[in-house]
Amino acid sequence: MPIPDGLEKDEHMTVGSSLSRKFTTAGAIAPAGIRSENHEWIAGLRWTDLERKEHIYELRLGESVNVEGLGRMTLVGVDPGPLIDPNKFSWLPGIEGKDGGGSAIHFVLEFEDGVKACRPQDGDCPRF
């Protein structure tokens, strides 16, 4: 899904069942599930701040939320996991087993001043 008009792209991030958390200098972001409601995907994002308090935000596609101390998160796409296990019928001739198949949540994060993405091995990245 393209980034909505007027949204500056600071950081396009993806988290999911087989993808690690994303770290910022203000905390960490992890997936908190994907569900469907009235034929619309709703993705949960778990924000853990520097005080290690967890906050869950549920977003619909294109929806934004301002997260105090972090910035504005906008949901731009979801890749839901398969409804049927892709390996369930791999024993049948002509059907190959598949690796992965987990869900993923794609979002854009517009950082507050002073906040940036980091890696745990960086000196300015908090440890969780």
Side-chain angles (χ1 to χ4, degrees):
M1 176 178 217
I3 297 171
D5 291 338
L7 180 64
E8 295 298 321
K9 180 184 172 184
D10 272 2
E11 192 75 32
H12 184 256
M13 298 181 168
T14 302
V15 293
S17 58
S18 61
L19 303 167
S20 64
R21 297 182 288 178
K22 297 299 178 185
F23 294 93
T24 73
T25 52
I29 305 164
I34 299 173
R35 63 185 170 84
S36 174
E37 187 176 289
N38 297 324
H39 305 286
E40 184 176 31
W41 289 114
I42 300 172
L45 291 167
R46 176 179 287 112
W47 162 242
T48 305
D49 63 25
L50 293 177
E51 295 176 358
R52 294 185 172 45
K53 291 175 87 176
E54 289 189 355
H55 312 270
I56 304 289
Y57 297 94
E58 289 192 332
L59 299 167
R60 290 171 167 73
L61 289 176
E63 190 174 44
S64 296
V65 63
N66 289 313
V67 179
E68 186 177 339
L70 177 65
R72 185 169 78 159
M73 290 192 297
T74 302
L75 182 65
V76 295
V78 296
D79 294 324
L83 296 176
I84 298 174
D85 179 0
N87 296 311
K88 185 173 183 176
F89 299 105
S90 61
W91 58 272
L92 291 170
I95 298 179
E96 296 180 23
K98 297 180 180 176
D99 293 329
S103 59
I105 300 169
H106 307 275
F107 62 100
V108 172
L109 181 54
E110 293 178 277
F111 294 119
E112 283 188 5
D113 289 339
V115 178
K116 65 179 182 175
C118 62
R119 299 176 307 161
Q121 59 267 30
D122 294 343
D124 59 350
C125 196
R127 296 192 182 271
F128 284 90

